[in-house]
Amino acid sequence: MFVDSHCHLNFPELRDQLAQIRAAMAESRVDRALCICTTLEEFDAVHALAMAYGNFWCSAGVHPDNEGVREPLVADLVRMATLPRVVAIGETGLDYFRLAGRSHEAMEWQRERFRTHIRAARACRKPLVIHTRAAAADTLRIMREERAGEAGGVMHCFTESWEVAQAAIDMGFYISFSGIVSFKNAHELRAVAKQVPLGRMLIETDSPYLAPVPFRGKTNQPAYVRHVAEALAQIRAVPVEQIAQATTQNFFELFRPS
């Protein structure tokens, strides 16, 4: 069995197709999924998915790219984390890829938002789901300063170097691979995937985005996470069942779903 550790089933591309999505998951032996929150405004919809289906769970958080939304307080996130089937804080982190002409210094609001999530995760003892893009140095620095290792978590949709992966692993974090690892031009990422210990690896779709080969360019869905596992099995020259078993066990150890 496979677990999709990161998807957005409330997004417009997917939310009206849940019956088909769940049927495709069953056919592909994808038996669990973690639905990720990206704004406080959407939390109720994400949480409703987790409450409606026994094999879905959810997180509480505000994505670093989202501007003009309600800013989270530690108390907000801790309150949401106490609700049934909420197993993580995030998606949080830093993203300097779309600066829109702004400097790194001007992104202090992102860094403060990230610190808020880490403090909430430590307070409620739930793991973090961390997004980092073009901001690895600041991401790791803030993780260390805020003692993110006390909460643990996952570096989701990982695309950074082995040095960044190692630093995160040293803080007790897991590394999650998406469909990007199956792309032909992802040579450096595949090299990282060879080195990450199986005991520290997760798989995800980040659907509706980043569909793996052979569906690249199409709308992604949780059923396709098995193709991420197959790509990793090929990279590491192991049976896909070994990837499935390890990543499923890791999911349960990190998020402790019930």
Side-chain angles (χ1 to χ4, degrees):
M1 295 294 185
F2 304 91
V3 177
D4 185 356
S5 67
H6 192 114
C7 59
H8 301 281
L9 298 185
N10 64 302
F11 280 18
E13 299 92 330
L14 299 175
R15 65 188 176 205
D16 296 326
Q17 304 175 47
L18 279 177
Q20 301 95 309
I21 287 168
R22 288 178 58 78
M25 288 174 64
E27 185 176 352
S28 295
R29 297 172 55 231
V30 179
D31 63 346
R32 298 173 180 88
L34 178 54
C35 302
I36 300 296
C37 181
T38 63
T39 67
L40 298 187
E41 289 84 347
E42 75 174 1
F43 173 76
D44 287 346
V46 177
H47 186 233
L49 285 169
M51 293 298 290
Y53 301 101
N55 61 339
F56 288 170
W57 293 268
C58 76
S59 70
V62 182
H63 192 288
D65 272 342
N66 286 329
E67 301 184 55
V69 298
R70 180 180 160 198
E71 200 63 35
L73 302 174
V74 169
D76 295 325
L77 297 170
V78 170
R79 176 183 58 81
M80 293 172 178
T82 65
L83 296 174
R85 305 191 71 76
V86 180
V87 297
I89 296 295
E91 172 175 2
T92 183
L94 300 177
D95 194 322
Y96 297 165
F97 184 73
R98 296 184 181 90
L99 292 175
R102 294 171 290 188
S103 67
H104 288 186
E105 290 73 20
M107 306 305 284
E108 183 61 24
W109 62 273
Q110 258 193 22
R111 294 186 284 273
E112 284 304 309
R113 180 186 288 176
F114 186 24
R115 292 181 189 277
T116 295
H117 283 77
I118 298 173
R119 291 166 188 169
R122 289 174 50 221
C124 67
R125 299 182 180 275
K126 295 286 175 75
L128 289 151
V129 177
I130 293 183
H131 166 112
T132 184
R133 190 176 187 190
D138 276 358
T139 299
L140 293 172
R141 174 178 60 81
I142 291 173
M143 288 170 67
R144 293 186 182 106
E145 289 175 357
E146 296 292 337
R147 307 196 307 278
E150 293 179 12
V154 57
M155 308 297 283
H156 113 87
C157 194
F158 193 82
T159 56
E160 302 292 338
S161 67
W162 167 244
E163 288 73 24
V164 173
Q166 183 67 72
I169 291 168
D170 288 347
M171 282 187 269
F173 277 72
Y174 291 74
I175 306 297
S176 182
F177 294 98
S178 70
I180 295 173
V181 79
S182 72
F183 297 175
K184 290 182 179 179
N185 60 348
H187 306 295
E188 293 180 4
L189 183 59
R190 288 201 293 273
V192 173
K194 286 184 179 180
Q195 298 181 76
V196 171
L198 272 180
R200 284 287 158 180
M201 183 181 291
L202 293 174
I203 53 176
E204 64 173 272
T205 59
D206 202 13
S207 51
Y209 311 118
L210 302 174
V213 174
F215 302 102
R216 186 175 183 181
K218 298 182 180 180
T219 301
N220 204 358
Q221 59 175 299
Y224 295 167
V225 79
R226 69 170 299 136
H227 296 280
V228 178
E230 289 169 354
L232 288 167
Q234 184 177 31
I235 290 165
R236 298 176 70 102
V238 299
V240 69
E241 291 79 11
Q242 187 173 347
I243 302 294
Q245 180 179 0
T247 54
T248 297
Q249 180 177 332
N250 295 342
F251 178 87
F252 275 89
E253 289 179 354
L254 176 61
F255 294 112
R256 302 183 297 278
S258 59

